[in-house]
Amino acid sequence: MKLCVALDLPTNEENLALVKSLKDFDIWLKVGLRSYIRDGQNLIKELKQINPECKIFLDLKLYDIPNTMADAASEISLLGIDMFNIHISSGKVAMNTVMQRIANVKDRPLVLGVSVLTSFNNKDFKSIYGASIDKRSIEFAKAANECKLDGVVCSAYESKDIKSVTKEKFITLTPGIRPFGEDSNDQKRVANLEMAKEQLVDFIVVGRPIYLSKDPRGVVEEILKRI
Ligand code: C5P
């Protein structure tokens, strides 16, 4: 299991200071909407300058018409990042178009499909998607698998079931991890490290429990020890 640290801090300087302080750990870095909108491609370059070996997950959750998503995916593939994501609910045509467009990119990044956001509870999810999280997350994962995505973003609670209906090595990446039972904030389907391990999760994403801690290095060290 790999740890992916979310770089969601209020300034570029704080993100970079965090990355420098964690430079010697074997971790992935997640660049999401806040940081990418503010700091853009320059942030990717700065992260590579701090650690040329670092692995980057660009979490922009593409959702648009198929051609627009494929155009964006092909631009993303040129950024030197290692993984990005698209919404599964954008549909099979969109997912297939994206995968076809980047199929011949050398060392193409991994592509994950966002299934059910970890901030949803069953009631709120049902009011929009018309079905339970359990049911839809399996259907979404099967669709992503059929469209040859590399894996999905899901909650730790769904990981094992998803792996049982998808190809071998289908990746599950789970945000909403509260390693040692910290505050869940806006996340609804949170899990700790034991749950993530038991559910065979490949990547855990941890943001606030690390960057809001007084000792981010200590938290990362403890997480790495336990996984
Ligand atoms: O601070 P916290 O650990 O809750 O951060 C979780 C990170 O994972 C955030 O950057 C959030 O945008 C991202 N994420 C998520 N749920 C998803 C996909 C990404 O929480 N389904």
Side-chain angles (χ1 to χ4, degrees):
M1 190 194 291
K2 289 275 177 207
L3 167 64
C4 191
V5 177
L7 304 176
D8 291 334
L9 282 148
T11 65
N12 192 34
E13 290 67 35
E14 287 165 280
N15 272 339
L16 296 181
L18 178 67
V19 171
K20 278 180 194 151
S21 77
L22 303 176
K23 196 180 152 186
D24 51 322
F25 291 120
D26 180 16
I27 55 173
W28 280 57
L29 304 171
K30 185 177 88 68
V31 174
L33 288 172
R34 180 186 209 174
S35 297
Y36 197 73
I37 287 168
R38 189 186 56 220
D39 306 317
Q41 295 179 18
N42 202 39
L43 171 58
I44 309 294
K45 288 188 194 127
E46 287 180 300
L47 297 178
K48 296 269 178 197
Q49 274 162 13
I50 294 171
N51 180 1
E53 305 298 312
C54 74
K55 297 278 191 188
I56 301 173
F57 168 32
L58 189 60
D59 177 21
L60 300 183
K61 302 187 184 70
L62 306 185
Y63 190 149
D64 210 311
I65 59 171
N67 185 60
T68 302
M69 284 176 64
D71 286 344
S74 92
E75 298 294 345
I76 285 174
S77 300
L78 304 176
L79 297 178
I81 55 98
D82 303 280
M83 182 156 73
F84 70 97
N85 55 4
I86 64 180
H87 270 281
I88 297 170
S89 54
S90 60
K92 283 188 174 177
V93 174
M95 288 193 282
N96 281 325
T97 310
V98 165
M99 296 313 285
Q100 278 158 15
R101 185 74 72 83
I102 63 171
N104 295 324
V105 171
K106 192 173 166 281
D107 298 327
R108 77 153 172 83
L110 295 168
V111 184
L112 302 185
V114 178
S115 60
V116 179
L117 295 172
T118 42
S119 53
F120 270 122
N121 61 22
N122 241 323
K123 182 169 163 274
D124 293 343
F125 181 77
K126 211 167 183 176
S127 73
I128 295 174
Y129 290 89
S132 70
I133 290 175
D134 284 353
K135 184 169 182 290
R136 273 289 183 273
S137 64
I138 291 293
E139 289 167 358
F140 279 168
K142 282 183 177 167
N145 190 45
E146 278 163 31
C147 297
K148 306 211 165 27
L149 270 66
D150 301 292
V152 291
V153 182
C154 60
S155 94
Y157 297 94
E158 293 116 37
S159 174
K160 221 170 171 177
D161 287 343
I162 285 173
K163 281 179 179 282
S164 73
V165 297
T166 51
K167 68 186 169 203
E168 208 190 332
K169 304 222 170 101
F170 194 72
I171 295 168
T172 58
L173 173 143
T174 65
I177 297 295
R178 293 297 177 258
F180 309 109
E182 297 90 336
D183 191 337
S184 58
N185 313 105
D186 58 338
Q187 302 279 20
K188 291 290 181 327
R189 300 189 334 284
V190 297
N192 61 23
L193 297 181
E194 275 59 48
M195 175 60 125
K197 272 198 280 192
E198 129 84 7
Q199 287 276 332
L200 311 175
V201 166
D202 299 292
F203 289 87
I204 51 168
V205 173
V206 186
R208 285 162 287 188
I210 292 174
Y211 67 73
L212 293 182
S213 148
K214 288 204 179 77
D215 177 20
R217 262 191 78 85
V219 178
V220 168
E221 214 157 17
E222 200 51 39
I223 294 173
L224 293 178
K225 246 189 250 164
R226 304 271 193 103
I227 60 175

